[in-house]
Amino acid sequence: MADVVVAEPAEPVRPVVAAVRHPLARLPKRQFLRTFGPFRSTASVQAALDALRRPFPWTLCRPPVAGVRARRPCFYRHLGLCPGVCTGEMSSADYVRIIRQLMRLFAGGGAGVRRDLERSMLAASRAERFEEAALI
């Protein structure tokens, strides 16, 4: 994540979710939707965001502009860490749902998020979508 400073700050770190059409998980530089923390170090926040990127694929990409030729996938899309916002593969509603789960997790709702993920996995396996269930 290019916007994260690794040096230890004098004040506690507060990760935020930016208030834009496709919410971005990053450190404050713009107006934001929600602030979390405080955390003691930037490194701990970065480690948490890195660990959560697979189950909750957030991105720093911008969605493609309507009427303009689709862009090439970003670097993180090739690694499977971007949900495809940059190429338009994921709808805005689906992406907002993922960001809301990430926000709920940072707000202390880990048990609820886990329960929701287990329900999604069970529903996918009952519908015999085993590959999708494994990704959850």
Side-chain angles (χ1 to χ4, degrees):
M1 205 159 91
D3 294 319
V4 176
V5 178
V6 179
E8 295 300 317
E11 297 180 15
V13 178
R14 296 179 183 273
V16 301
V17 175
V20 293
R21 184 172 171 212
H22 283 274
L24 306 172
R26 61 170 50 171
L27 294 180
K29 286 194 175 185
R30 302 179 180 177
Q31 287 198 335
F32 38 86
L33 182 62
R34 181 110 187 249
T35 305
F36 302 96
F39 294 91
R40 293 178 102 25
S41 72
T42 305
S44 65
V45 173
Q46 184 64 49
L49 286 173
D50 287 345
L52 293 170
R53 193 148 196 184
R54 288 251 184 232
F56 305 102
W58 52 269
T59 186
L60 298 175
C61 301
R62 298 275 179 219
V65 179
V68 177
R69 190 179 67 155
R71 295 186 306 189
R72 291 180 16 199
C74 67
F75 175 71
Y76 290 110
R77 182 69 187 136
H78 291 291
L79 297 176
L81 299 175
C82 173
V85 172
C86 52
T87 58
E89 296 173 50
M90 176 175 266
S91 71
S92 180
D94 290 340
Y95 187 68
V96 167
R97 183 181 48 80
I98 289 172
I99 292 299
R100 282 190 183 141
Q101 285 183 329
L102 184 63
M103 289 170 56
R104 208 165 107 198
L105 187 68
F106 268 106
V113 171
R114 181 179 176 178
R115 187 175 49 249
D116 291 346
L117 290 174
E118 287 174 353
R119 284 181 189 159
S120 298
M121 190 182 331
L122 186 60
S125 65
R126 284 185 180 156
E128 296 184 5
R129 297 187 317 260
F130 301 113
E131 293 82 9
E132 181 183 328
L135 291 175
I136 297 172

mmCIF file of all heavy atoms in Angstrom, residues 2 7-8 11 13-15 20-21 31 37 65 67 72 87 99 110 112 130:
data_model
loop_
_atom_site.group_PDB
_atom_site.id
_atom_site.type_symbol
_atom_site.label_atom_id
_atom_site.label_comp_id
_atom_site.label_asym_id
_atom_site.label_seq_id
_atom_site.Cartn_x
_atom_site.Cartn_y
_atom_site.Cartn_z
ATOM 1 N N ALA A 2 0.872 2.007 -1.017
ATOM 2 C CA ALA A 2 1.786 3.119 -1.202
ATOM 3 C C ALA A 2 1.505 4.287 -0.281
ATOM 4 O O ALA A 2 2.391 5.087 -0.033
ATOM 5 C CB ALA A 2 1.732 3.583 -2.645
ATOM 6 N N ALA A 7 7.173 4.902 9.294
ATOM 7 C CA ALA A 7 7.789 5.514 10.470
ATOM 8 C C ALA A 7 6.773 5.595 11.605
ATOM 9 O O ALA A 7 5.579 5.772 11.382
ATOM 10 C CB ALA A 7 8.285 6.905 10.120
ATOM 11 N N GLU A 8 7.257 5.460 12.822
ATOM 12 C CA GLU A 8 6.386 5.518 13.985
ATOM 13 C C GLU A 8 5.938 6.960 14.222
ATOM 14 O O GLU A 8 6.758 7.855 14.346
ATOM 15 C CB GLU A 8 7.107 4.985 15.226
ATOM 16 C CG GLU A 8 7.457 3.520 15.139
ATOM 17 C CD GLU A 8 6.242 2.639 14.971
ATOM 18 O OE1 GLU A 8 5.229 2.863 15.654
ATOM 19 O OE2 GLU A 8 6.297 1.727 14.138
ATOM 20 N N GLU A 11 1.732 10.644 17.239
ATOM 21 C CA GLU A 11 0.367 10.447 17.702
ATOM 22 C C GLU A 11 -0.103 9.054 17.308
ATOM 23 O O GLU A 11 0.427 8.457 16.383
ATOM 24 C CB GLU A 11 -0.553 11.488 17.058
ATOM 25 C CG GLU A 11 -0.220 12.895 17.442
ATOM 26 C CD GLU A 11 -1.146 13.895 16.791
ATOM 27 O OE1 GLU A 11 -2.208 13.485 16.278
ATOM 28 O OE2 GLU A 11 -0.813 15.074 16.786
ATOM 29 N N VAL A 13 -2.098 6.063 15.508
ATOM 30 C CA VAL A 13 -2.536 5.898 14.127
ATOM 31 C C VAL A 13 -4.015 5.542 14.115
ATOM 32 O O VAL A 13 -4.470 4.749 14.921
ATOM 33 C CB VAL A 13 -1.719 4.767 13.451
ATOM 34 C CG1 VAL A 13 -2.183 4.550 12.028
ATOM 35 C CG2 VAL A 13 -0.254 5.091 13.503
ATOM 36 N N ARG A 14 -4.739 6.129 13.180
ATOM 37 C CA ARG A 14 -6.168 5.855 13.031
ATOM 38 C C ARG A 14 -6.455 5.512 11.584
ATOM 39 O O ARG A 14 -6.519 6.406 10.755
ATOM 40 C CB ARG A 14 -6.992 7.061 13.448
ATOM 41 C CG ARG A 14 -6.858 7.411 14.906
ATOM 42 C CD ARG A 14 -7.695 8.641 15.214
ATOM 43 N NE ARG A 14 -7.529 9.047 16.572
ATOM 44 C CZ ARG A 14 -8.240 8.585 17.587
ATOM 45 N NH1 ARG A 14 -9.169 7.687 17.374
ATOM 46 N NH2 ARG A 14 -8.034 9.002 18.809
ATOM 47 N N PRO A 15 -6.625 4.204 11.258
ATOM 48 C CA PRO A 15 -7.007 3.872 9.880
ATOM 49 C C PRO A 15 -8.419 4.362 9.606
ATOM 50 O O PRO A 15 -9.245 4.434 10.506
ATOM 51 C CB PRO A 15 -6.924 2.346 9.834
ATOM 52 C CG PRO A 15 -7.022 1.923 11.241
ATOM 53 C CD PRO A 15 -6.490 3.037 12.086
ATOM 54 N N VAL A 20 -15.975 7.741 -0.559
ATOM 55 C CA VAL A 20 -16.054 7.875 -2.011
ATOM 56 C C VAL A 20 -16.973 6.775 -2.533
ATOM 57 O O VAL A 20 -17.417 5.924 -1.783
ATOM 58 C CB VAL A 20 -14.657 7.776 -2.678
ATOM 59 C CG1 VAL A 20 -13.808 8.957 -2.295
ATOM 60 C CG2 VAL A 20 -13.969 6.488 -2.320
ATOM 61 N N ARG A 21 -17.226 6.766 -3.841
ATOM 62 C CA ARG A 21 -18.147 5.779 -4.415
ATOM 63 C C ARG A 21 -17.713 4.346 -4.108
ATOM 64 O O ARG A 21 -18.508 3.518 -3.728
ATOM 65 C CB ARG A 21 -18.233 5.989 -5.920
ATOM 66 C CG ARG A 21 -19.224 5.076 -6.562
ATOM 67 C CD ARG A 21 -19.439 5.422 -8.001
ATOM 68 N NE ARG A 21 -20.230 4.375 -8.610
ATOM 69 C CZ ARG A 21 -20.114 4.010 -9.850
ATOM 70 N NH1 ARG A 21 -19.269 4.611 -10.642
ATOM 71 N NH2 ARG A 21 -20.856 3.053 -10.334
ATOM 72 N N GLN A 31 -11.324 13.285 3.091
ATOM 73 C CA GLN A 31 -12.471 13.145 3.981
ATOM 74 C C GLN A 31 -12.764 11.670 4.126
ATOM 75 O O GLN A 31 -12.607 10.909 3.183
ATOM 76 C CB GLN A 31 -13.673 13.857 3.398
ATOM 77 C CG GLN A 31 -13.561 15.345 3.486
ATOM 78 C CD GLN A 31 -14.914 15.992 3.314
ATOM 79 O OE1 GLN A 31 -15.809 15.432 2.709
ATOM 80 N NE2 GLN A 31 -15.046 17.173 3.850
ATOM 81 N N GLY A 37 -9.611 3.119 15.746
ATOM 82 C CA GLY A 37 -8.377 3.231 16.526
ATOM 83 C C GLY A 37 -8.642 3.979 17.803
ATOM 84 O O GLY A 37 -9.761 4.100 18.247
ATOM 85 N N VAL A 65 -14.357 4.519 -15.641
ATOM 86 C CA VAL A 65 -15.321 5.574 -15.955
ATOM 87 C C VAL A 65 -16.245 5.066 -17.057
ATOM 88 O O VAL A 65 -15.789 4.446 -18.024
ATOM 89 C CB VAL A 65 -14.583 6.848 -16.416
ATOM 90 C CG1 VAL A 65 -15.565 7.941 -16.780
ATOM 91 C CG2 VAL A 65 -13.616 7.314 -15.339
ATOM 92 N N GLY A 67 -18.300 4.713 -20.304
ATOM 93 C CA GLY A 67 -18.087 5.219 -21.645
ATOM 94 C C GLY A 67 -16.632 5.273 -22.071
ATOM 95 O O GLY A 67 -16.328 5.602 -23.197
ATOM 96 N N ARG A 72 -6.488 -1.691 -17.881
ATOM 97 C CA ARG A 72 -5.803 -2.949 -17.575
ATOM 98 C C ARG A 72 -5.938 -3.233 -16.081
ATOM 99 O O ARG A 72 -6.026 -2.314 -15.275
ATOM 100 C CB ARG A 72 -4.324 -2.826 -17.920
ATOM 101 C CG ARG A 72 -4.079 -2.748 -19.383
ATOM 102 C CD ARG A 72 -2.626 -2.623 -19.742
ATOM 103 N NE ARG A 72 -1.704 -2.957 -18.680
ATOM 104 C CZ ARG A 72 -0.444 -2.574 -18.652
ATOM 105 N NH1 ARG A 72 0.045 -1.831 -19.610
ATOM 106 N NH2 ARG A 72 0.344 -2.926 -17.659
ATOM 107 N N THR A 87 -11.177 -3.034 -13.095
ATOM 108 C CA THR A 87 -11.616 -3.505 -14.407
ATOM 109 C C THR A 87 -13.131 -3.607 -14.522
ATOM 110 O O THR A 87 -13.639 -3.972 -15.575
ATOM 111 C CB THR A 87 -11.009 -4.890 -14.700
ATOM 112 O OG1 THR A 87 -11.404 -5.787 -13.664
ATOM 113 C CG2 THR A 87 -9.506 -4.822 -14.791
ATOM 114 N N ILE A 99 -16.494 -3.905 2.200
ATOM 115 C CA ILE A 99 -15.930 -2.836 3.028
ATOM 116 C C ILE A 99 -16.704 -2.705 4.338
ATOM 117 O O ILE A 99 -16.120 -2.459 5.395
ATOM 118 C CB ILE A 99 -15.905 -1.507 2.253
ATOM 119 C CG1 ILE A 99 -14.890 -1.591 1.119
ATOM 120 C CG2 ILE A 99 -15.575 -0.332 3.164
ATOM 121 C CD1 ILE A 99 -13.461 -1.841 1.563
ATOM 122 N N GLY A 110 -15.925 -8.748 15.496
ATOM 123 C CA GLY A 110 -15.289 -9.931 14.924
ATOM 124 C C GLY A 110 -16.160 -11.172 14.968
ATOM 125 O O GLY A 110 -16.196 -11.951 14.014
ATOM 126 N N GLY A 112 -19.473 -11.348 14.932
ATOM 127 C CA GLY A 112 -20.544 -11.229 13.946
ATOM 128 C C GLY A 112 -20.049 -11.446 12.526
ATOM 129 O O GLY A 112 -20.717 -12.084 11.716
ATOM 130 N N PHE A 130 -18.451 -25.410 -4.252
ATOM 131 C CA PHE A 130 -17.382 -25.706 -3.306
ATOM 132 C C PHE A 130 -16.170 -24.795 -3.475
ATOM 133 O O PHE A 130 -15.511 -24.456 -2.498
ATOM 134 C CB PHE A 130 -16.975 -27.180 -3.412
ATOM 135 C CG PHE A 130 -18.123 -28.116 -3.138
ATOM 136 C CD1 PHE A 130 -18.635 -28.916 -4.130
ATOM 137 C CD2 PHE A 130 -18.699 -28.167 -1.879
ATOM 138 C CE1 PHE A 130 -19.704 -29.764 -3.879
ATOM 139 C CE2 PHE A 130 -19.758 -29.012 -1.608
ATOM 140 C CZ PHE A 130 -20.270 -29.817 -2.617
#
